[in-house]
Amino acid sequence: MDKAKNKKKNLTPEGQFRLSLDNCSKTKDLSTAISLYESAISEPSTIRLSNNHFNSFLYICSNSFSDPSTKNDAIQFGFRVFEHMGSCNITPNEATVTAVARLAAATDDGDRAFELAKGVGNCGKLRTYGPALFCFCKMGEADKAYQVEEHMRSLGLQLEEAELAGLLMVSVENEREEKVYQYLHKLRMSIRSVSDSTAEIIQSWFGGEMTSKVGLSYWDMDQVKEAILQNGGGWHGLGWLGKGKWLAQRSQIAPDGRCLTCGEQLVCVDIDRAETERFAESVASLAMEREVHSNFKEFQDWLEKHSDYDAVVDAANVGLFQQNFAEGGFSIAQSSLLLL
């Protein structure tokens, strides 16, 4: 205990400042953080503010505007800190931009939040674009929300449930049926089990008046069957089929895959054609990369010429099947069975 006290006594002014700022970050103490900032800029020769210091102040601000009593002070102070940072010619990093984007979104300025996020280029993360995306979704600006999503995907960012749920919500509210269909499938493909809040958005769509108005009255069943086959089974991806009111309710699924509400058997969905091709390309690339003298490309060419074959059996693996014992080895007899 005495050692800790002595250590604090021996701290330099900058060390004491850093310690106090860290404590404000932990406790999210905005008022003390503002006092610290004022003392630092009043004594520039004693305390030299760095990128880390500015980011800590901005972090405290972005975690303080959720409280109505500190929201205005947090936003004003945050923008002031960011402007000071620029005047010091300190380049903001991704953490800086994320914090300021949150401040912009808190003032319902999604445009500024989006421009800030785009400024970090390929360094942007989900959290960097989240403020702009959620702000546009909250404000009901669907087209702007879609623009943010498109930009995020161009950077290779994979949206998670929160982002997809926000896009689904703004699509439902704006009665954009084609987008609702799109985001429902994106949720299906990327989220194993949705949260209660997302489930409520889904139910609100199927329980609304718009749902009964969309959808085709007639369709080609052969086309639907072909689409289901190409998509791996279980879904067709052709849009809303059929008109009328929907009945959407929560249910439990039995161990054998039956819905306990309607009794229908759920279908196992395999990977689709596009995913199959990507998987095959990655396997081929890996094989040729690992085996310098591999004739895998020749094997691929042979398969192209003999495309009538449905399957290829690896005889070497068959010969080694269940041979992992002391006297085990390559079994010619096992491989020979393939010729019978």
Side-chain angles (χ1 to χ4, degrees), residues 162-182:
E163 291 78 22
L164 290 173
L167 288 160
L168 178 63
M169 179 189 71
V170 76
S171 300
V172 169
E173 291 174 348
N174 283 270
E175 298 185 337
R176 303 284 286 270
E177 69 273 10
E178 74 289 347
K179 286 293 187 179
V180 172
Y181 188 83
Q182 177 184 331

Side-chain angles (χ1 to χ4, degrees), residues 286-336:
L286 189 61
M288 289 185 281
E289 180 184 319
R290 290 191 174 184
E291 301 294 333
V292 179
H293 303 293
S294 170
N295 58 353
F296 193 83
K297 184 65 173 66
E298 295 176 18
F299 177 60
Q300 282 184 300
D301 294 338
W302 184 89
L303 286 176
E304 286 291 332
K305 293 176 183 177
H306 300 80
S307 57
D308 50 323
Y309 289 112
D310 293 323
V312 176
V313 180
D314 186 346
N317 271 327
V318 173
L320 291 170
F321 180 64
Q322 291 188 339
Q323 296 297 309
N324 56 336
F325 52 90
E327 293 78 23
F330 184 82
S331 172
I332 296 177
Q334 287 183 178
S335 296
S336 299

Side-chain angles (χ1 to χ4, degrees), residues 9-265:
K9 286 181 180 179
N10 296 327
L11 285 174
T12 62
E14 284 197 3
Q16 184 60 53
F17 176 80
R18 179 75 257 183
L19 185 66
S20 299
L21 184 56
D22 287 344
N23 188 56
C24 288
S25 294
K26 290 176 184 176
T27 59
K28 299 180 178 62
D29 187 345
L30 178 65
S31 60
T32 303
I34 294 174
S35 298
L36 274 175
Y37 175 78
E38 298 291 357
S39 66
I41 61 175
S42 66
E43 301 177 29
S45 59
T46 305
I47 307 296
R48 181 176 297 177
L49 293 175
S50 67
N51 194 312
N52 286 336
H53 293 140
F54 283 115
N55 280 348
S56 292
F57 283 121
L58 290 170
Y59 170 80
I60 295 167
C61 293
S62 66
N63 282 280
S64 299
F65 58 70
S66 57
D67 183 347
S69 65
T70 58
K71 179 178 179 178
N72 290 335
D73 289 341
I75 293 172
Q76 291 175 13
F77 177 55
F79 284 131
R80 180 186 172 195
V81 168
F82 185 56
E83 289 173 6
H84 184 190
M85 189 178 183
S87 67
C88 294
N89 294 319
I90 297 177
T91 303
N93 56 23
E94 184 276 331
T96 311
V97 170
T98 297
V100 182
R102 287 172 180 163
L103 294 173
T107 65
D108 296 331
D109 192 348
D111 292 317
R112 183 176 184 181
F114 190 25
E115 288 303 314
L116 283 164
K118 288 191 288 186
V120 299
N122 293 331
C123 296
K125 302 176 182 179
L126 273 182
R127 68 176 189 176
T128 319
Y129 290 92
L133 180 66
F134 294 129
C135 180
F136 288 139
C137 291
K138 184 186 77 170
M139 301 296 291
E141 299 184 86
D143 289 326
K144 289 185 176 182
Y146 302 150
Q147 288 175 17
V148 177
E149 184 214 8
E150 184 178 348
H151 184 78
M152 293 169 76
R153 290 191 179 279
S154 73
L155 297 176
L157 297 174
Q158 298 297 317
L159 275 64
E160 297 179 354
E161 182 180 359
E163 291 78 22
L164 290 173
L167 288 160
L168 178 63
M169 179 189 71
V170 76
S171 300
V172 169
E173 291 174 348
N174 283 270
E175 298 185 337
R176 303 284 286 270
E177 69 273 10
E178 74 289 347
K179 286 293 187 179
V180 172
Y181 188 83
Q182 177 184 331
Y183 291 121
L184 284 174
H185 275 297
K186 287 181 179 181
L187 279 167
R188 177 189 61 79
M189 289 186 287
S190 59
I191 309 299
R192 184 178 293 272
S193 177
V194 299
S195 63
D196 286 342
S197 58
T198 303
E200 287 174 6
I201 298 171
I202 295 170
Q203 283 187 289
S204 72
W205 165 255
F206 286 105
E209 289 296 323
M210 183 65 181
T211 323
S212 61
K213 300 175 184 177
V214 303
L216 299 173
S217 298
Y218 305 99
W219 57 89
D220 186 337
M221 276 307 301
D222 290 334
Q223 183 185 8
V224 173
K225 289 177 182 178
E226 178 60 25
I228 291 174
L229 181 63
Q230 291 204 13
N231 288 322
W235 66 286
H236 50 73
L238 298 176
W240 302 106
L241 302 182
K243 287 184 179 292
K245 292 191 71 67
W246 290 72
L247 176 61
Q249 60 189 84
R250 303 193 186 193
S251 178
Q252 298 290 324
I253 306 301
D256 62 355
R258 283 181 305 105
C259 173
L260 295 179
T261 299
C262 67
E264 289 290 330
Q265 180 71 41

